[in-house]
Amino acid sequence: MTGSDTSPSHSSPSFRLAYVPGVTPSKWVRVWNERLPDVPLSLLAVTPAEAFGALREGTADAGLVRLPVDRDDLSAIPLYTETTVVVIPKDHLLAAVEEVSAADLAEELVLHPLDDTLGWEERPPGRPANERPATTADAIELVAAGVGLLAVPQSLARLHHRKDLTYRTLTEVPQSRVALSWQAADEAPDLVEEFIGIVRGRTVNSTRGRRAEAQKGQKQPRDQKERKTAKPARSGKPAAGSRTTGKPTARKAGGAGGSGRGRTGGKPRKKS
């Protein structure tokens, strides 16, 4: 992937991140810009149907997508699971409660858009509509018009917020899981590894990838050099400029200024 290539021919690397509706990558982008200010990160908004094609074709280096992911040619790590909610008009009877079960929707018309992300085994609970809306946005418009209700991940309910609509937590139904995905390989590309560290909350010092390894490689020789430069003084020999205390060392016999014992000159000893 070009965004993860750090060869000499790519003097200005970049990282392209795709993301599906409802996912907000802003907090991770902010950390990226703080840690890798010289590597621009560009965002690519894609539909759920487009996301995996963008990764396979190399349009994006990685993507924030919704599971499931085809593991034959893509890698993925789950990040979080979203709460499922039901979108309803503000004057609907269900707006009076805080939580709704699947059984509570048995008599309600529940829309099932073609870009649904919840992965129902067959269809959502409740009565099916005659036709499926093309998109979640289209389904929201129908709910606002009083034509049915809609079950979606909470982030999509917030994304399509309207003053005349509200939503309630929906239990006993599937939930959507968000994941980071990229092209399958023996090892993740360097910049992908950097982003994995960010979404997993690793600190600057613990983040793996080319930046962490480069910084580690720069610090190691400097520390070793400082340790080698600071040599301890020899035992018993004072350092230069230091003063000694105690008695001076006695001079050897026969040396200059010695005691005179053992000298060849001077008076001979008298015989007794």
Side-chain angles (χ1 to χ4, degrees):
M1 295 183 186
T2 57
S4 300
D5 195 341
T6 57
S7 61
S9 60
H10 293 75
S11 57
S12 300
S14 62
F15 186 68
R16 299 160 301 170
L17 179 67
Y19 67 100
V20 296
V23 177
T24 52
S26 56
K27 61 180 180 180
W28 296 318
V29 172
R30 183 172 60 252
V31 176
W32 176 281
N33 291 334
E34 292 172 355
R35 295 187 185 179
L36 293 90
D38 59 331
V39 181
L41 186 154
S42 56
L43 293 173
L44 177 63
V46 295
T47 66
E50 297 170 338
F52 301 120
L55 296 176
R56 292 187 177 101
E57 296 166 6
T59 307
D61 299 305
L64 295 167
V65 301
R66 296 186 185 275
L67 295 177
V69 170
D70 186 350
R71 299 301 183 105
D72 290 339
D73 58 350
L74 295 174
S75 297
I77 53 170
L79 299 178
Y80 59 89
T81 300
E82 284 201 66
T83 299
T84 301
V85 300
V86 57
V87 180
I88 57 179
K90 280 191 173 180
D91 58 357
H92 194 280
L93 289 176
L94 293 177
V97 299
E98 294 184 0
E99 190 174 90
V100 178
S101 69
D104 294 330
L105 302 180
E107 300 302 321
E108 299 287 345
L109 179 69
V110 179
L111 304 170
H112 189 197
L114 294 175
D115 63 353
D116 175 81
T117 60
L118 290 174
W120 306 97
E121 290 185 2
E122 294 182 3
R123 58 181 177 82
R127 297 184 295 109
N130 292 331
E131 295 183 5
R132 295 180 63 180
T135 66
T136 297
D138 292 336
I140 291 288
E141 293 293 332
L142 291 174
V143 175
V147 183
L149 310 182
L150 176 65
V152 290
Q154 186 173 6
S155 65
L156 288 179
R158 290 173 174 171
L159 177 66
H160 297 288
H161 170 73
R162 291 175 53 119
K163 292 182 179 180
D164 53 349
L165 299 180
T166 186
Y167 60 84
R168 294 292 182 266
T169 300
L170 183 60
T171 62
E172 303 171 3
V173 294
Q175 294 178 309
S176 175
R177 292 193 298 161
V178 175
L180 177 67
S181 183
W182 63 94
Q183 283 188 15
D186 292 338
E187 293 184 1
D190 290 336
L191 293 182
V192 172
E193 189 63 56
E194 294 282 357
F195 197 76
I196 291 173
I198 290 173
V199 298
R200 283 185 164 174
R202 296 178 193 152
T203 63
V204 176
N205 294 332
S206 64
T207 299
R208 293 178 291 178
R210 67 178 181 87
R211 293 305 173 101
E213 292 300 322
Q215 292 173 1
K216 182 179 178 181
Q218 290 172 358
K219 291 179 180 180
Q220 186 72 11
R222 190 183 304 118
D223 294 341
Q224 289 180 349
K225 184 177 180 180
E226 291 174 357
R227 287 196 295 269
K228 290 180 180 179
T229 304
K231 294 181 179 179
R234 286 187 182 180
S235 177
K237 185 176 180 180
S242 63
R243 300 177 63 182
T244 59
T245 58
K247 296 181 179 181
T249 306
R251 296 180 181 177
K252 293 182 180 180
S259 62
R261 182 176 295 180
R263 294 163 68 184
T264 55
K267 281 186 174 184
R269 186 178 297 176
K270 292 183 179 180
K271 294 182 181 180
S272 55

